[in-house]
Amino acid sequence: MTARRHLLSSADLDRDQVGAILDTATEMHTVQRREVKKLPTLRGRTVVNLFFEDSTRTRSSFEIAGKWLSADVINISAKGSSTSKGESLRDTVMTVAAMGVDALVIRHPASGAAHQVSQWVDAHVVNAGDGTHEHPTQALLDAYTMQRRLGSLEGRHVAIVGDLTHSRVVRSNLITLRTLGARVTLVAPPTLMPSGVTTWAATEGFALSHDLDEVLPTVDAVMMLRVQRERMSGGYFPTAREYTVGYGLTRARLDALVAANPDAVICHPGPMNRGLEIAADAADAAQSLVLDQVSAGVAVRMSVLYHLLAGEEVSS
């Protein structure tokens, strides 16, 4: 791969670069099965996880990934930083970077924040989620998880279903899946389709649908997205029950999916609203890759940190 400095967007990665990251993740995944989960690869390097939004999976997996690669890992949350006293984002990251850190893993509620930070500091920057914009390492781990079960994603049909408007995952997943040759259909009620999505779909070559029952029998994988009620103001759907009836992966829809394609898989980037966008039966089914995604998160983020800090780097 061409030498790069940051991982800010899924769009910065071509097929070979995605493949290299996923191949390295396969090697890193073996570390999780070892008695001593430690590699000396990043000894002497310092990684700061700078999270301005709450997170469990992403922050924990980046922390574990860094530590298993022997990096010194420091976690900073907004509540424990000077931003809670009114300091600007620029001053915060400049202060942290001035301490000589090698990489900043940043999550921020503002779209474009990670890109802006990369313009201010010399450290490598990894986008761990910026507003409703992107979450590239989530897309990489989702693709990695699907590939382990399905094999090559070339020509596979993946449906991404749910709250597309407020999701940072959908854009990154769409880009990465298309890069790997998958066919993608976005499924949501009209009120939860992103603005301008029709033009985007025509340009990038993916499909749109408001009918989950029509799409479901045709897919190899279905990714259910969390309904982000904390980001909603106003009525995007009448009631939670009506949303589940129209767009939830219910027990009946699980049965229909398995009947149409016994090898189809179910993904969810988490956290899940059980009983809203996904039934407990579907979340815990044999077809569910939810826990596999969590496990893959550590391996993929180890791979990303390796490519940035020890090997050939991943994104400009």
Side-chain angles (χ1 to χ4, degrees):
M1 292 186 299
T2 305
R4 305 283 183 167
R5 281 199 53 77
H6 311 297
L7 178 53
L8 306 176
S9 167
S10 295
D12 294 330
L13 301 175
D14 62 27
R15 189 165 186 155
D16 288 343
Q17 290 171 319
V18 172
I21 293 170
L22 300 189
D23 287 346
T24 303
T26 300
E27 299 176 30
M28 296 299 182
H29 216 153
T30 63
V31 174
Q32 292 173 250
R33 296 189 289 271
R34 288 165 42 169
E35 185 174 349
V36 178
K37 300 176 176 62
K38 204 80 165 177
L39 298 174
T41 315
L42 297 186
R43 185 177 295 149
R45 301 284 197 145
T46 302
V47 177
V48 173
N49 294 328
L50 192 56
F51 276 58
F52 294 89
E53 285 185 324
D54 292 335
S55 169
T56 300
R57 290 164 180 77
T58 303
R59 177 169 160 171
S60 297
S61 64
F62 267 113
E63 180 177 3
I64 293 170
K67 288 181 176 178
W68 283 0
L69 289 170
S70 299
D72 296 310
V73 180
I74 300 168
N75 293 320
I76 300 175
S77 66
K79 293 176 183 176
S81 74
S82 294
T83 56
S84 62
K85 303 174 184 177
E87 185 175 66
S88 69
L89 172 62
R90 184 179 189 279
D91 286 336
T92 297
V93 297
M94 293 286 282
T95 299
V96 173
M99 298 177 188
V101 304
D102 298 289
L104 287 172
V105 178
I106 182 166
R107 168 167 287 189
H108 197 278
S111 298
H115 176 77
Q116 187 62 71
V117 168
S118 73
Q119 306 300 303
W120 293 332
V121 301
D122 291 329
H124 302 283
V125 177
V126 180
N127 182 2
D130 59 332
T132 58
H133 181 227
E134 281 212 48
H135 194 354
T137 60
Q138 181 68 46
L140 289 167
L141 74 88
D142 291 339
Y144 174 83
T145 305
M146 283 186 267
Q147 279 193 171
R148 282 173 67 87
R149 181 71 69 91
L150 298 174
S152 172
L153 298 183
E154 182 71 41
R156 296 286 193 173
H157 186 197
V158 181
I160 304 178
V161 184
D163 184 1
L164 308 179
T165 293
H166 301 98
S167 174
R168 59 170 65 103
V169 170
V170 63
R171 182 180 298 272
S172 289
N173 260 289
L174 178 58
I175 294 167
T176 298
L177 288 169
R178 296 279 296 136
T179 298
L180 293 173
R183 294 190 298 119
V184 181
T185 301
L186 302 187
V187 184
T191 52
L192 290 175
M193 284 284 185
S195 176
V197 71
T198 303
T199 302
W200 186 26
T203 302
E204 297 298 328
F206 60 89
L208 302 173
S209 177
H210 302 309
D211 190 339
L212 178 57
D213 293 309
E214 180 181 59
V215 173
L216 208 55
T218 71
V219 304
D220 298 291
V222 56
M223 179 176 296
M224 306 305 297
L225 299 181
R226 181 173 67 91
V227 176
Q228 299 188 40
R229 287 177 285 193
E230 76 278 7
R231 294 181 185 268
M232 295 181 180
S233 57
Y236 285 86
F237 47 85
T239 66
R241 176 171 173 73
E242 288 189 54
Y243 180 87
T244 301
V245 168
Y247 295 94
L249 188 56
T250 60
R251 175 75 224 193
R253 288 194 174 106
L254 171 64
D255 292 340
L257 175 67
V258 174
N261 182 357
D263 296 323
V265 297
I266 299 163
C267 296
H268 194 306
M272 295 183 288
N273 292 311
R274 286 176 181 251
L276 181 54
E277 74 266 0
I278 187 167
D281 287 337
D284 300 328
Q287 293 76 18
S288 173
L289 301 181
V290 173
L291 292 181
D292 299 77
Q293 289 171 271
V294 176
S295 175
V298 176
V300 167
R301 286 162 179 144
M302 287 176 73
S303 177
V304 167
L305 292 175
Y306 166 80
H307 281 285
L308 279 174
L309 299 173
E312 295 172 295
E313 301 157 344
V314 290
S315 171
S316 59

